[in-house]
Amino acid sequence: MEKSIGLKKFLPIGFILILLVITGLLHGINMFNYPGYGYDEGTYMAQAWSVTTEARLEPYTYWYDHPPLAWVQIAIWTELTGGFEHFGMAINSGRVLMLIFSVLTTVLIFLIIRKLKVVDSIAFLGALIYAISPMVIYYSRMVFIDNIMIFWVLLSITIILYYKSIKAIFLSALCFGIGFLSKEVGLIFIIPIILLIYFETHTKQRKFTILLWIFVSCLVISSWVLYALLKGELFPMGTLLGGHNRHVSLISTIIYQMSRKGNGTIFNAGSNIRTNLVLWSSKYFGDPILIVGGIASSVLNLLFYIIKRNYYYLIFPIFTIMFFLFFGRGGQVYDYYIIPLLPFLIINIVLLFSETLRVITQILKTQITKNIVKITVILLSILVFVKVYKTYMFPRVYTLLTGNQTITQIKTVQWISKNIPKQDVIVTDTDIFVDLKYQGFYSPNPIWVFKADLDPAIRYGILHNNWKNIDYMVTDPTTIISAGLKKNNLNLLNMALMHSKLIKVFSSDGHSEKIYKVIK
């Protein structure tokens, strides 16, 4: 009896250790080589560099597109680990931090699932399926602030589930506030979290705990608003409180972000959200088990809630619903926007599997029969998953573990350092921005590709609205496509590119970097 109790006590610790090792290996091996460094990764690393080097929130004008706490955390990390060059290229430092967040996120998923009346072994399998998903590995390696935000949101939920005290409510709210200040999209999960507090709290304490949680969360979140207010950048220019001097505005940015239109809602064929939903569900890029299975499980869990009245089967589907209500409304949607939803999809899958298994075994009479059926169903499910994973997903995991795309960006930095004079003006993607800084290309070099046209301080103050003041352009084909030089009226860049000559190309594993010399 004592041995059985001891085993049950240490089994979760064993599962956590296994998850730490597997997640660490799969997400860490080859992460400096694949995938290639992305534009957003370079942006957040450059902003972190600006925090540590220039005591500013951004190398250029901070326009409140996101709260700054995510890259402040990255900046703190680089200070603690010896700087941006400690792991080689600057983005590598950010990827190591993402690895830590990724491992901890997987553990939090396990801890959350096991607290939802799911046995530890099934909770472990659910967290493991999440950890080995090629889609999860791909996105969690990259320096996306979504990875930071979702960790803090999950930590907030974990605290609510495990600790029943005023201190716990305070800490949960603090974590949620940090999540919001890491990326504002975390706000879409506030309703299901408040519902969770409602059901997890004693009847007599519900009003107080909910109000306390909301108050502390808002207090933390309001620091962003207070920062803008103190800077005189809260209200739009031309308003009574905004004055007439030209400046960025938090309110203006929020209005702009909310008004950014895609090309239709989730119900329109060819819309951003529908296109990405197909992409996320495809066996060639996404994870059909996680996406299709997670969405279907969310719907079926609502039916289980109606039958069983177990509030977990109401709350966790709402996380999925809130995601699609927000992103399915018709706004701009990028492929990595799926990151915050992935943990909740696997939680819904595990909840459905666990409840289905429970319903099946309730029909049986003897405990021996129940155990046999349980083991059989679990083993068959594992076999089916392994077959599907081996056929459709492992080839992509293999690419993640062996591919090398970043070599193109490493060679690009090396070539520029040896062949381009430090005083020449370079317009480049953000992916190598910090690395060029450390190679001696300083003010005004290098210039972010979009800032050359869109930031008045750069376009008029440094380039004097003349494309001839650009000497070199460094970019990859995807940036040229996404920039849409003609479509978005990026005239300066378009003219520079039209009058340039391709002088060097580096390619590897489907990724390429091109260096153009502007002919004047």
Side-chain angles (χ1 to χ4, degrees):
M1 184 67 177
E2 289 181 0
K3 287 183 179 180
S4 177
I5 294 172
L7 181 62
K8 286 183 179 180
K9 183 179 179 180
F10 289 105
L11 193 60
I13 298 173
F15 284 144
I16 288 172
L17 291 174
I18 294 171
L19 288 172
L20 288 172
V21 172
I22 293 176
T23 308
L25 289 174
L26 282 179
H27 292 228
I29 293 174
N30 203 48
M31 69 177 180
F32 293 161
N33 297 326
Y34 197 95
Y37 302 129
Y39 182 87
D40 286 275
E41 291 187 281
T43 299
Y44 301 133
M45 293 307 297
Q47 288 169 324
W49 172 86
S50 188
V51 170
T52 60
T53 308
E54 302 176 326
R56 301 170 58 195
L57 293 178
E58 192 171 306
Y60 302 103
T61 303
Y62 172 59
W63 63 289
Y64 298 92
D65 52 332
H66 296 298
L69 192 55
W71 60 85
V72 170
Q73 292 173 70
I74 296 172
I76 294 170
W77 163 256
T78 60
E79 287 293 296
L80 294 173
T81 54
F84 289 86
E85 295 180 292
H86 185 75
F87 297 97
M89 295 285 279
I91 289 176
N92 289 350
S93 181
R95 288 192 174 185
V96 175
L97 180 60
M98 292 306 107
L99 175 62
I100 294 171
F101 277 117
S102 176
V103 169
L104 294 176
T105 295
T106 303
V107 172
L108 288 177
I109 290 170
F110 168 73
L111 292 175
I112 289 171
I113 293 174
R114 70 183 296 264
K115 203 65 176 174
L116 307 181
K117 300 178 182 178
V118 176
V119 297
D120 287 345
S121 57
I122 295 178
F124 165 74
L125 290 173
L128 183 63
I129 289 170
Y130 171 86
I132 66 176
S133 164
M135 192 177 186
V136 172
I137 297 171
Y138 177 82
Y139 285 124
S140 64
R141 282 184 172 188
M142 302 179 78
V143 188
F144 287 127
I145 57 178
D146 309 69
N147 290 320
I148 300 175
M149 176 270 289
I150 196 58
F151 163 78
W152 289 107
V153 171
L154 291 173
L155 183 57
S156 175
I157 294 169
T158 305
I159 292 170
I160 294 169
L161 288 170
Y162 276 81
Y163 304 101
K164 316 299 178 185
S165 66
I166 298 302
K167 186 185 291 185
I169 291 297
F170 180 88
L171 289 174
S172 170
L174 178 63
C175 289
F176 182 81
I178 293 172
F180 174 91
L181 292 178
S182 298
K183 189 169 184 179
E184 68 286 353
V185 173
L187 194 63
I188 66 175
F189 298 131
I190 192 169
I191 291 176
I193 291 177
I194 290 174
L195 277 175
L196 184 63
I197 296 170
Y198 176 85
F199 285 113
E200 287 288 313
T201 308
H202 191 277
T203 308
K204 293 181 180 179
Q205 295 180 319
R206 279 175 177 168
K207 286 184 180 179
F208 175 75
T209 52
I210 289 173
L211 288 173
L212 176 64
W213 191 90
I214 293 173
F215 173 77
V216 175
S217 296
C218 290
L219 192 65
V220 177
I221 291 168
S222 66
S223 62
W224 189 35
V225 179
L226 180 62
Y227 174 83
L229 181 64
L230 293 175
K231 292 272 291 182
E233 296 173 344
L234 178 59
F235 300 100
M237 181 186 69
T239 62
L240 179 63
L241 297 174
H244 298 286
N245 293 328
R246 186 181 182 89
H247 64 272
V248 294
S249 161
L250 172 58
I251 293 175
S252 294
T253 299
I254 291 173
I255 293 171
Y256 165 73
Q257 296 279 40
M258 294 302 294
S259 65
R260 289 172 69 189
K261 294 182 179 179
N263 52 354
T265 69
I266 195 170
F267 302 106
N268 300 120
S271 64
N272 287 149
I273 183 66
R274 278 279 287 274
T275 301
N276 278 299
L277 192 56
V278 172
L279 184 72
W280 296 329
S281 306
S282 71
K283 61 187 179 183
Y284 301 107
F285 177 83
D287 186 332
I289 293 176
L290 202 53
I291 303 300
V292 178
I295 294 171
S297 297
S298 298
V299 175
L300 293 172
N301 283 337
L302 288 174
L303 296 177
F304 269 122
Y305 169 72
I306 295 171
I307 298 168
K308 296 287 186 178
R309 311 307 293 182
N310 182 335
Y311 58 83
Y312 295 139
Y313 291 84
L314 168 68
I315 292 169
F316 284 93
I318 291 177
F319 281 101
T320 306
I321 292 169
M322 294 307 299
F323 176 89
F324 283 106
L325 282 177
F326 183 77
F327 288 111
R329 73 191 192 283
Q332 188 69 252
V333 178
Y334 295 103
D335 62 284
Y336 60 86
Y337 283 10
I338 193 66
I339 292 172
L341 182 62
L342 297 176
F344 298 109
L345 291 179
I346 193 62
I347 290 171
N348 274 290
I349 289 172
V350 175
L351 278 175
L352 179 65
F353 180 82
S354 178
E355 187 60 29
T356 303
L357 197 60
R358 191 177 291 118
V359 169
I360 292 171
T361 54
Q362 281 177 351
I363 301 170
L364 306 171
K365 294 181 178 180
T366 65
Q367 189 60 44
I368 295 175
T369 310
K370 289 182 179 183
N371 291 338
I372 292 172
V373 170
K374 269 185 182 180
I375 294 170
T376 303
V377 171
I378 291 172
L379 287 176
L380 285 174
S381 300
I382 291 172
L383 288 173
V384 171
F385 173 79
V386 169
K387 177 65 176 176
V388 173
Y389 187 86
K390 182 181 178 182
T391 305
Y392 299 113
M393 299 186 196
F394 183 74
R396 286 174 44 226
V397 174
Y398 181 78
T399 300
L400 286 163
L401 297 177
T402 60
N404 193 340
Q405 290 185 330
T406 63
I407 188 65
T408 60
Q409 287 139 314
I410 295 170
K411 287 182 176 179
T412 298
V413 171
Q414 292 171 344
W415 190 90
I416 291 173
S417 180
K418 292 177 181 178
N419 296 279
I420 296 180
K422 299 294 188 291
Q423 69 273 15
D424 284 3
V425 176
I426 303 172
V427 173
T428 179
D429 288 334
T430 59
D431 52 5
I432 58 173
F433 177 88
V434 177
D435 301 287
L436 289 179
K437 289 287 188 184
Y438 281 103
Q439 291 297 322
F441 291 89
Y442 214 72
S443 184
N445 278 324
I447 296 173
W448 291 7
V449 63
F450 294 104
K451 298 293 183 179
D453 257 292
L454 301 179
D455 192 324
I458 303 300
R459 178 166 185 163
Y460 300 103
I462 293 176
L463 299 178
H464 306 293
N465 199 30
N466 189 345
W467 62 267
K468 292 183 179 180
N469 288 321
I470 299 172
D471 297 304
Y472 293 89
M473 295 182 70
V474 184
T475 186
D476 63 56
T478 57
T479 300
I480 294 176
I481 294 168
S482 65
L485 301 183
K486 292 182 180 179
K487 180 181 177 182
N488 292 309
N489 297 317
L490 303 181
N491 298 324
L492 213 61
L493 291 177
N494 190 45
M495 290 297 293
L497 193 62
M498 285 175 59
H499 292 85
S500 65
K501 177 184 178 182
L502 182 63
I503 58 173
K504 195 69 179 178
V505 179
F506 296 101
S507 300
S508 176
D509 237 336
H511 187 91
S512 65
E513 291 283 322
K514 297 184 177 182
I515 303 173
Y516 297 87
K517 180 177 175 60
V518 180
I519 309 300
K520 305 172 185 179

